[in-house]
Amino acid sequence: AVDHRHETSRLPLAKRIYSAPYGRTDGVVMLVVEGNSLVVTIENNKKAACDINDFYEGEEKAFEKMEKQYTQMAKKDYSARTKENKKYWAGYSLSRIYTTGRVDNKVISFIQNNNEYTGGAHPNATRFAQNFNPCTGMRLTLKDITKDEGKAREVIHTYILKAVQKEAYKDYLFEDYEAHIKDILTEDTWYFSDQGLVMISNEYIITPHAVGILEFTIPYNELTFIKPCYIL
């Protein structure tokens, strides 16, 4: 395995970009991995930065285990193919790309974009997010940021439901999409941006793969259920 990584910057958070081919059979690459890893620095608060970095070090170790697992899966798949079918081998791939949402003295939000391909008709994509308190280094939950979590969830569900009922979505929703609106919001599918609170709707929850991942943003001036300290 070859793993080329280099640090590209060192600001409040830095990213190390890497791309690596894994496991060759007969000179053919079995798996290509692409992604970045996060390094957070917080001025005058090394403990909080270390706690956040410890979280992502754990995530990276788990991702490295996935790399080995997918390499073995790819080798097994490739070996089982006929000589003719091996000519069309495209390899497996994994990617995990982090981007930044809102970063200030109240919240640090990261968005995690995942993509995997294992020889099917198309790659599978998912998107998750993590939000941290930059003072403590702890993960922020919906309970932490809302005045009343239960009421906040009801408002968010209603907002998403109204949003997807617009003309632009009508031909793309599953027939029973209304029953799954509440499945969209989890502790891993929301984050703060400069525009407001963003909810991530992953593929196959209310729409098919072809539609892609959807995001719904409630502007700050409409976030009456959020604690005032998080409002921009």
Side-chain angles (χ1 to χ4, degrees), residues 12-82:
L13 61 98
K15 298 176 181 179
R16 293 194 297 271
I17 310 299
Y18 58 88
S19 177
Y22 281 81
R24 296 176 183 270
T25 299
D26 300 328
V28 179
V29 173
M30 296 292 102
L31 174 71
V32 173
V33 177
E34 296 182 322
N36 60 356
S37 56
L38 298 174
V39 177
V40 176
T41 60
I42 302 174
E43 189 175 357
N44 299 322
N45 198 339
K46 290 184 178 180
K47 184 182 183 307
C50 284
D51 288 344
I52 297 173
N53 287 329
D54 285 346
F55 173 85
Y56 285 106
E57 284 177 11
E59 291 290 290
E60 188 156 350
K61 288 179 181 178
F63 190 67
E64 288 172 355
K65 288 183 180 180
M66 283 185 64
E67 294 171 3
K68 294 177 181 178
Q69 177 187 354
Y70 276 62
T71 299
Q72 293 305 314
M73 289 168 54
K75 286 182 177 180
K76 185 176 180 180
D77 184 352
Y78 182 79
S79 298
R81 297 188 177 212
T82 64

Side-chain angles (χ1 to χ4, degrees), residues 4-227:
H4 300 292
R5 309 187 181 204
H6 63 276
E7 187 164 292
T8 59
S9 63
R10 192 164 184 81
L11 298 169
L13 61 98
K15 298 176 181 179
R16 293 194 297 271
I17 310 299
Y18 58 88
S19 177
Y22 281 81
R24 296 176 183 270
T25 299
D26 300 328
V28 179
V29 173
M30 296 292 102
L31 174 71
V32 173
V33 177
E34 296 182 322
N36 60 356
S37 56
L38 298 174
V39 177
V40 176
T41 60
I42 302 174
E43 189 175 357
N44 299 322
N45 198 339
K46 290 184 178 180
K47 184 182 183 307
C50 284
D51 288 344
I52 297 173
N53 287 329
D54 285 346
F55 173 85
Y56 285 106
E57 284 177 11
E59 291 290 290
E60 188 156 350
K61 288 179 181 178
F63 190 67
E64 288 172 355
K65 288 183 180 180
M66 283 185 64
E67 294 171 3
K68 294 177 181 178
Q69 177 187 354
Y70 276 62
T71 299
Q72 293 305 314
M73 289 168 54
K75 286 182 177 180
K76 185 176 180 180
D77 184 352
Y78 182 79
S79 298
R81 297 188 177 212
T82 64
K83 185 176 181 181
E84 181 64 23
N85 284 339
K86 285 179 179 179
K87 295 178 182 179
Y88 305 102
W89 174 255
Y92 283 17
S93 64
L94 278 176
S95 72
R96 185 203 55 190
I97 307 291
Y98 289 103
T99 58
T100 306
R102 175 177 156 187
V103 178
D104 54 37
N105 62 355
K106 296 296 182 182
V107 62
I108 298 175
S109 293
F110 292 122
I111 303 96
Q112 177 185 323
N113 294 281
N114 307 301
N115 198 287
E116 63 179 56
Y117 178 71
T118 55
H122 55 72
N124 290 315
T126 54
R127 182 176 299 154
F128 300 107
Q130 299 90 35
N131 305 276
F132 296 90
N133 182 328
C135 297
T136 66
M138 299 292 290
R139 285 279 300 270
L140 287 170
T141 65
L142 287 167
K143 184 178 180 179
D144 294 327
I145 67 167
T146 57
K147 299 173 184 177
D148 183 313
E149 183 185 355
K151 290 182 179 179
R153 285 181 177 273
E154 290 178 9
V155 173
I156 291 170
H157 295 153
T158 300
Y159 184 92
I160 296 174
L161 180 59
K162 288 182 178 179
V164 298
Q165 288 174 340
K166 294 179 181 178
E167 186 74 14
Y169 296 101
K170 72 171 188 175
D171 295 328
Y172 304 107
L173 299 167
F174 290 140
E175 289 186 4
D176 62 345
Y177 77 94
E178 290 189 35
H180 298 285
I181 290 292
K182 292 184 178 181
D183 297 331
I184 293 172
L185 180 63
T186 72
E187 291 293 358
D188 297 311
T189 56
W190 65 270
Y191 67 92
F192 283 110
S193 72
D194 292 337
Q195 287 73 46
L197 183 67
V198 184
M199 276 65 63
I200 302 164
S201 179
N202 277 302
E203 298 175 357
Y204 300 114
I205 297 179
I206 61 172
T207 53
H209 166 78
V211 177
I213 298 169
L214 302 177
E215 290 195 341
F216 304 95
T217 301
I218 305 180
Y220 282 107
N221 61 3
E222 297 181 31
L223 292 177
T224 56
F225 54 86
I226 296 292
K227 292 176 181 177

